[in-house]
Amino acid sequence: ETATRINGIVALGLGALLSIFAPLVLSTMIPDGVTNEYLTGFRLATIIYSLYSVNAVGHYILFSVNAVNLSLAITLISGIVSLVMIFFGSNYFGLLGAIAGNSGYLGVWLLNFTGMKKIGIATKQWLKLLSLLILGFLGIALISWSIKYQNSCNCWRFFEFY
């Protein structure tokens, strides 16, 4: 339970911070080329990556109970589904479709379900631990979507030294 809680706090907390500070992060990485489409893509990727980062506990549980083949199968199938979705998403919807295609990898959440089941922790018990974190993360991520990139604002100016 503690590992699940810590992993959820770190993965979803960092994801929420990245989503909030997306304009600053992108303007640092792409100083002259940030668009609202890139900002949307970055935030969408942040949501997807944060949500599937929560699977780490299940991954390590399966390794510890010698269910490596099960972990491999779930990860491989999720990866293939993700690649197929990225292929079709990018062909039909461009950059945002490719980014959304990464959501196919969310199948790795089965690592948590199968790992917890193997060690006798009920789904309701561990999912209850994560549900508030996930709801809070998604709320923050969706609210941060209203923060648009302002090209005229150099938000890092405070940190510049002359």
Side-chain angles (χ1 to χ4, degrees):
E1 289 182 24
T2 304
T4 302
R5 185 177 290 124
I6 290 171
N7 185 54
I9 289 169
V10 171
L12 299 173
L14 289 174
L17 287 173
L18 273 176
S19 188
I20 291 168
F21 293 108
L24 294 174
V25 172
L26 279 180
S27 66
T28 301
M29 292 178 1
I30 315 170
D32 297 327
V34 177
T35 65
N36 281 321
E37 180 185 21
Y38 291 163
L39 189 59
T40 299
F42 184 79
R43 285 189 173 129
L44 182 59
T46 299
I47 290 170
I48 293 168
Y49 293 139
S50 297
L51 287 175
Y52 71 61
S53 293
V54 176
N55 80 69
V57 174
H59 172 80
Y60 288 110
I61 288 172
L62 288 175
F63 271 51
S64 71
V65 297
N66 204 21
V68 176
N69 289 339
L70 180 58
S71 177
L72 171 71
I74 292 170
T75 304
L76 186 61
I77 291 168
S78 298
I80 291 170
V81 168
S82 179
L83 288 173
V84 169
M85 289 176 65
I86 290 168
F87 175 78
F88 286 110
S90 64
N91 283 325
Y92 292 106
F93 302 104
L95 175 65
L96 292 179
I99 293 169
N102 282 292
S103 65
Y105 198 66
L106 288 171
V108 294
W109 264 74
L110 287 174
L111 295 170
N112 283 339
F113 285 94
T114 56
M116 297 295 187
K117 185 176 181 179
K118 288 224 179 256
I119 62 171
I121 298 177
T123 302
K124 187 176 183 179
Q125 184 179 352
W126 68 265
L127 205 50
K128 186 173 81 171
L129 295 170
L130 289 176
S131 61
L132 286 176
L133 291 173
I134 292 170
L135 288 174
F137 165 71
L138 291 175
I140 290 169
L142 292 175
I143 290 170
S144 73
W145 224 286
S146 65
I147 303 170
K148 299 293 182 198
Y149 176 71
Q150 300 295 325
N151 195 19
S152 61
C153 170
N154 184 353
C155 300
W156 289 111
R157 185 167 302 284
F158 178 76
F159 297 105
E160 291 178 0
F161 298 99
Y162 295 97

